[in-house]
Amino acid sequence: MTAKRPTAGDFVHTPSPPTDGFNSLSVPTYRASTITYPNLDSFVARGSRGREAYTYGLAGTPTSRALADKLTALENGTDTFLTSSGLMAITVTFLALLSAGDRVLLPETVYAPVRRFAADTLSKLNIGAQYYDPTEQIDLSAFGPELRLLWIESPGSLTMEMQNIIALSRQAKAHGVLVGCDNSWATPLYCQPLDLGADIVIEAVTKYLSGHSDILLGSITVRTEELAAKIHATVRSLGVGVSPDDCFLALRGLETAPIRLEHVGRTALLLAERLRQHDSVVEVLMPALPDAAGHALWSRQYAGTSGVFSFIMNSEDEDSFRARFIRLKLIQIGASWGGTHSLIAPSPITDGRCGRRYHGQQIVRISVGLEDAAAIGEDLDRFLDD
């Protein structure tokens, strides 16, 4: 009997095994660029199937849809769109909602790359960016009829200013201005900006929601179908896509996010109190501290604290300051946050428009990880002791 020699087609085509009786707890990772159709009619009609249809890899896979749907539910929104980073979630939102002649109002303490995007890209599109002090009340009527979007970042990712999302959203609605909120510090576990009046909420899924410092993802969740249509149109025209493998990791990270956040929040409070006792520390910037400037707002709008906060040190010469980082044994130096490892980063305020109260002072930001609180505290003692 002569054995059948495999053809090239035998190597290409893979049989589909039965899935009856197989019920995994994990969402499958569906990878695809090309989507096939059962017949010509369905292929021809693919453009009329709506944004929920699977038409091409950029339009999503069941893995990315599972993550988007989960975030929509957690944020109490209408729909969610995934991007390749938290920054892209913000920039896509701006591009989708702003046109030439429009203005966006940003807090002075906004995430620095957003300020750069406004200066380098929005300006070329004749979209103006103005800035407001997040610690003071603002009158939106003073910014003119060109104002289309008010952006909130609460707390500020470096100097931790709290903003009144409810009051700002009410005022914006009265002036026909949309409100977007960067909620990456709190996540939907501790704050739901759409319920407080915002129209758009973005998350840097890279950080607490995935939680392991190994993927880059962002999300845009919107309140209304009208906004969803605008975001979708821009996502589609820009060719925004995300990795299904990253979506799988984010889904896995989401399952432990409440436990991780509870741990780092509890540890962060202990460390913040400890830091206040050090002679080298001038001020600890953490809204969950009872006597913090923004504590009243935090307690009304937030259900808990994450593990990111900053502290201001006494001024000293650069060599002395740099030497402190050599003493660290546990905490690593890194600019990001939200993962399992504790990170620290010097963040001097050199721009008088950004955190003007702390201009010229030495600010250090820490992201508390899952290590033992006592061990992190001992490392901070080594860092601060003279």
Side-chain angles (χ1 to χ4, degrees):
M1 182 176 180
T2 303
K4 178 182 179 292
R5 185 183 182 87
T7 67
D10 294 323
F11 285 88
V12 172
H13 297 285
T14 303
S16 298
T19 57
D20 292 345
F22 181 81
N23 187 26
S24 173
L25 289 172
S26 297
V27 175
T29 304
Y30 292 94
R31 303 179 185 89
S33 59
T34 301
I35 307 296
T36 60
Y37 298 82
N39 53 58
L40 183 59
D41 288 341
S42 62
F43 175 78
V44 172
R46 68 190 186 282
S48 61
R49 298 171 65 196
R51 67 173 183 267
E52 297 301 320
Y54 298 112
T55 56
Y56 189 66
L58 280 177
T61 72
T63 311
S64 61
R65 294 291 171 80
L67 176 59
D69 290 348
K70 189 165 187 174
L71 290 171
T72 299
L74 290 171
E75 304 276 18
N76 290 332
T78 293
D79 206 350
T80 294
F81 303 88
L82 302 176
T83 64
S84 60
S85 69
L87 175 60
M88 179 172 274
I90 298 173
T91 59
V92 165
T93 299
F94 288 4
L95 293 174
L97 303 180
L98 300 171
S99 301
D102 291 344
R103 291 181 186 172
V104 57
L105 189 57
L106 305 168
E108 290 178 341
T109 52
V110 71
Y111 180 48
V114 177
R115 181 184 284 270
R116 184 176 64 233
F117 176 77
D120 294 348
T121 303
L122 293 184
S123 61
K124 294 178 182 178
L125 302 174
N126 194 28
I127 298 172
Q130 292 179 276
Y131 295 86
Y132 67 97
D133 187 336
T135 65
E136 296 181 359
Q137 290 187 346
I138 58 173
D139 179 5
L140 294 184
S141 63
F143 295 93
E146 298 83 11
L147 182 61
R148 294 287 182 270
L149 177 64
L150 168 67
W151 197 252
I152 295 172
E153 183 181 305
S154 182
S157 60
L158 178 58
T159 44
M160 301 290 141
E161 293 86 356
M162 294 298 301
Q163 295 184 252
N164 192 330
I165 302 173
I166 297 174
L168 287 169
S169 297
R170 284 175 180 167
Q171 186 182 172
K173 185 176 180 180
H175 288 83
V177 174
L178 293 171
V179 174
C181 185
D182 183 339
N183 194 47
S184 303
W185 182 88
T187 81
L189 179 69
Y190 290 150
C191 183
Q192 293 174 306
L194 298 184
D195 288 350
L196 299 178
D199 301 289
I200 309 106
V201 57
I202 75 98
E203 306 282 354
V205 181
T206 302
K207 296 181 168 63
Y208 280 119
L209 295 181
S210 63
H212 291 79
S213 305
D214 53 8
I215 68 169
L216 290 166
L217 275 178
S219 66
I220 309 165
T221 304
V222 296
R223 174 197 292 277
T224 67
E225 175 59 31
E226 179 184 4
L227 287 171
K230 291 181 178 180
I231 299 293
H232 176 251
T234 301
V235 164
R236 185 180 180 185
S237 66
L238 292 176
V240 175
V242 295
S243 162
D245 296 271
D246 287 349
C247 291
F248 170 82
L249 291 173
L251 282 163
R252 187 168 66 176
L254 273 167
E255 295 184 5
T256 62
I259 298 171
R260 289 185 284 103
L261 279 159
E262 193 279 331
H263 178 90
V264 299
R266 182 176 63 249
T267 302
L269 274 171
L270 292 173
L271 294 174
E273 291 288 359
R274 182 171 182 158
L275 287 173
R276 298 171 89 181
Q277 310 307 313
H278 275 274
D279 293 336
S280 299
V281 175
V282 175
E283 184 179 358
V284 176
L285 308 178
M286 186 188 198
L289 289 173
D291 57 351
H295 181 74
L297 276 176
W298 174 84
S299 62
R300 291 200 302 270
Q301 298 182 158
Y302 291 75
T305 182
S306 70
V308 177
F309 67 96
S310 301
F311 56 93
I312 302 172
M313 297 186 60
N314 286 319
S315 60
E316 59 185 346
D317 63 82
E318 184 178 351
D319 288 342
S320 298
F321 179 69
R322 292 173 67 89
R324 295 183 184 277
F325 291 88
I326 300 173
R327 306 173 196 165
L328 293 168
K329 296 181 179 180
L330 174 69
I331 305 171
Q332 300 183 60
I333 303 170
S336 190
W337 45 272
T340 59
H341 296 260
S342 292
L343 298 173
I344 196 168
S347 305
I349 297 295
T350 57
D351 187 338
R353 299 169 301 170
C354 183
R356 63 180 69 178
R357 178 183 172 191
Y358 305 107
H359 178 55
Q361 299 190 56
Q362 185 55 258
I363 297 182
V364 177
R365 187 176 68 184
I366 181 169
S367 172
V368 176
L370 298 184
E371 302 95 344
D372 182 73
I376 303 173
E378 290 171 3
D379 214 28
L380 285 173
D381 287 343
R382 280 188 287 269
F383 178 82
L384 291 167
D385 287 343
D386 294 321

